Amino acid sequence: MSAQKKPSVSKPTAKKPKKSSGAGNFQAVKGMPDVIPRDEAWWKAILEAGRSVAELHDFHYLETPILESAELFEAGVGAATDVVEKQMFTFRTKGGDRVALRPEGTAPVMRAYLEHHLGYFASPLKAYYEGPMFRYERPQSGRERQFHQWGFEIIGDGDPVYDAEIILATMALFRAVNVPTPALKVNSIGCKVCRPSYREKLKNYYRSREKELCKDCARRLEKNPFRLLDCAEKDCVALRAEAPIILDYLCQSCNAHFKSVLELVEDNGVPYEPDPYLVRGLDYYNRTVFEVWSPAAPHALAGGGRYDYLGEILAGRPIPAVGSAVGIERVIAVLKAAGVSPAHHPRARVFFVAVGEQAKRASLKRMGELRAAGIPVVEALGKRSLKGQLKAADKAKAPLALIFGQKEAFEGSIIVRDMATGAQETALLANFVDTVKQRLRKTNGRA
Ligand code: HAM
């Protein structure tokens, strides 16, 4: 597999660790981190919050493949964007098809909307997705080559109420996981009617200051002058201060649309900051664009906007649409940095201890009874001794341990131990699940 243009990704990336490290001979591909159990509570918190917001707003689950035709993104996201020009993982399949690892989810969702005539399923269609995206970037904190997005899209209606709903749903997700002070930046980048005259004004301005531009901006000036507005180079940032702003060039209809969106967002108690330089890096946007930032992060946590022309590009007819995507890893990094605990509270679990062959043989069935009643069960049956298993029970921080030994197996009973107080009682196997439920209710505060 190779990324478009340089740098190549075909170099071997597996580094041999020192023999004594015990880490094996292979490492994850650069910029493509594993998601490991240590971070499980963060991931669950975000995924649960996303699902809950989606359900409250009636968004439907829409899963698209990780591979799409490369052309979908070249046409949909824009051949002159950084994402397509520099960051796509593109390759040919054995059958010769040119495909790409998806760098984002919006073009695939619109492709699926058209392919399955989802406008007949719901109008507008409200869809959500979650999954890995791939961009060949220089890996650094908050910027990976594989990262995960939570996305919301509303397709089939151009009413400003939907721009506002996307913004509100995105902010609700941040609220649900306790992101401290997420800052919403909003702008309008106009439409086909008003954008060309602004584009000309912008070009003229930058042409008149061409010598002061950084190399990248000098190159982008003719093809994509909007990108110059979000260049981070010091001289370009200084130049921007005198650049014309789009809000002065919006047509009446875009102006009214933008005003409605801002009013709706404000009415719903979400503070925002207008940012006339916010243009976004993907070509499909028109009218409303927005990003969510955190003072604790150097990159945006989420971005989105309206993309009424994507349908026209992909199917020859305009289909109003608006959406957003949240970068899950970036949100987790901000929460960790702020010392916020994950908003995921696992259900109280019980630890099942079985000692002796007979008890062990019957233990799977007993654990099955607990699981069937919705009680998560943890065990360390591989450890033979009672001591070893109780030690594991302590480590697992389960509020209750159930101890099932030879004597109990013979008598048809089981010991229920409160792990915090050490108090034990014997329950009959015939109704031990009810006893466990009652005891769990009592220990709930400590679970
Ligand atoms: P985007 O701004 O390119 O928009 O990405 C959305 C979010 O994905 C970013 O705000 C960031 O949190 C995360 N993200 C992007 N690149 C990386 C990376 N290399 N490493 C870690 N996180 C990253 C889109 O993708 C649009 N499809 C959003 C959208 C949906 N617009 C309309 N509907």
Side-chain angles (χ1 to χ4, degrees), residues 104 106 135 137 144 149 153 280 284-285 300-301 323 327:
E104 61 97 53
T106 305
R135 295 184 192 176
E137 305 211 56
E144 299 291 354
Q149 286 185 344
E153 314 284 354
R280 309 272 300 133
Y284 48 56
Y285 292 114
L301 303 186

Side-chain angles (χ1 to χ4, degrees), residues 83 103-107 129 133 135 137 140 142-149 151-153 280-282 284-285 291-292 299-307 322-331:
V83 167
E104 61 97 53
T106 305
Y129 53 89
M133 307 292 157
R135 295 184 192 176
E137 305 211 56
Q140 51 185 280
R143 183 161 283 165
E144 299 291 354
R145 290 178 178 170
Q146 176 176 320
F147 57 96
H148 292 73
Q149 286 185 344
F152 292 121
E153 314 284 354
R280 309 272 300 133
L282 315 168
Y284 48 56
Y285 292 114
E291 281 178 354
V292 184
H299 312 288
L301 303 186
R306 184 158 275 291
Y307 50 97
V322 58
S324 74
V326 173
I328 297 181
E329 285 85 348
R330 288 189 186 171
V331 173

Side-chain angles (χ1 to χ4, degrees), residues 198-200 202-203 206 217 220-230 279:
Y198 173 64
R199 198 182 144 97
E200 269 321 294
L202 197 62
K203 263 192 190 174
Y206 277 119
C217 285
R220 290 189 289 210
L221 169 57
E222 293 304 323
K223 247 187 174 173
N224 204 345
F226 295 106
R227 305 293 327 146
L228 276 59
L229 291 174
D230 65 4
V279 286

